[in-house]
Amino acid sequence: MRSFLMYLGALAVIFGLMQFIPTYEKSNPPVEISKEIKVPKEVMAIFKRSCYDCHSNETKWPWYADVAPMSWVVRRDVIQGRKALNFSTWEEYSDTKKQELKKQIFRSVEFAMPLPQYLWLHKDAKLSKEDKEIIRNWASDGKGYIESVIR
Ligand code: HEC
């Protein structure tokens, strides 16, 4: 019994110390409407529901974004997600970059996005077949397919 309590105590201390390990900043930079992506309503609804937490400056931070070790994962996903694609600053991308991102979006909805660890706790973010079609249709400018990139 005593060793069990010591074990628990040690875990609690480790958990406590983990809270002091510095991690990514948790922030929501200001949103300028003029820079935000403009897409049809039905596309926006899906982006807001399934992508905005990691790909915009309007992240709804969950409580566990303040508790290590979950905070490490959540904050990293948001920082790296924004770096890869930020719908809040879409209009700052060049036309070439936008086209490239649209191709990546087309591909990512197949199964890569939203990230599985996110879907775990956000079941409603999962894309239905119809959602994927709506996004693909937008991302391919109505064509429904994309040319593969050959470099
Ligand atoms: C839990 C956070 C999270 C959510 C939610 C999320 N993403 Fe991502 N996304 C990321 C991260 C992190 C990366 C960067 C991956 C990397 O750099 O390897 C990324 C990268 C991307 C990329 C860049 C290319 C690629 O595939 O790496 C695209 C496109 C993308 N996401 C689209 C989306 C779309 C569309 C949605 C909504 C349907 C979405 N993501 C939802 C975290 C997320």
Side-chain angles (χ1 to χ4, degrees):
M1 187 62 198
R2 227 179 102 208
S3 63
F4 176 70
L5 284 178
M6 276 169 68
Y7 179 68
L8 268 191
L11 275 187
V13 169
I14 291 169
F15 182 78
L17 287 176
M18 281 198 309
Q19 308 310 314
F20 292 100
I21 297 176
T23 178
Y24 297 101
E25 195 195 347
K26 193 186 87 179
S27 71
N28 278 11
V31 176
E32 289 177 48
I33 300 297
S34 61
K35 290 185 189 157
E36 193 175 31
I37 192 166
K38 277 149 207 83
V39 290
K41 243 188 12 257
E42 67 275 16
V43 178
M44 195 58 163
I46 302 169
F47 285 164
K48 289 226 157 152
R49 192 193 72 216
S50 300
C51 320
Y52 256 53
D53 273 345
C54 303
H55 292 295
S56 85
N57 294 339
E58 295 181 71
T59 307
K60 291 193 205 78
W61 293 98
W63 61 268
Y64 47 84
D66 289 311
V67 184
M70 292 84 85
S71 56
W72 303 340
V73 180
V74 174
R75 293 180 185 210
R76 186 206 57 204
D77 285 350
V78 174
I79 298 300
Q80 293 186 352
R82 283 176 184 163
K83 215 184 279 169
L85 162 69
N86 191 336
F87 289 126
S88 297
T89 52
W90 178 265
E91 290 303 331
E92 287 180 348
Y93 295 130
S94 68
D95 287 345
T96 324
K97 180 74 182 168
K98 284 180 189 164
Q99 276 321 112
E100 193 183 304
L101 282 171
K102 283 169 88 170
K103 280 184 185 165
Q104 288 185 346
I105 293 170
F106 186 101
R107 275 193 227 108
S108 73
V109 297
E110 183 62 32
F111 45 67
M113 289 290 149
L115 293 177
Q117 66 263 29
Y118 180 76
L119 288 175
W120 212 46
L121 290 165
H122 298 82
K123 303 264 184 246
D124 61 330
K126 193 170 163 49
L127 300 175
S128 67
K129 221 173 136 224
E130 200 183 26
D131 294 335
K132 291 181 188 180
E133 255 161 46
I134 292 172
I135 293 181
R136 287 221 191 91
N137 200 44
W138 166 77
S140 62
D141 300 321
K143 289 199 299 284
Y145 67 90
I146 45 160
E147 295 85 11
S148 51
V149 211
I150 299 157
R151 291 218 177 94

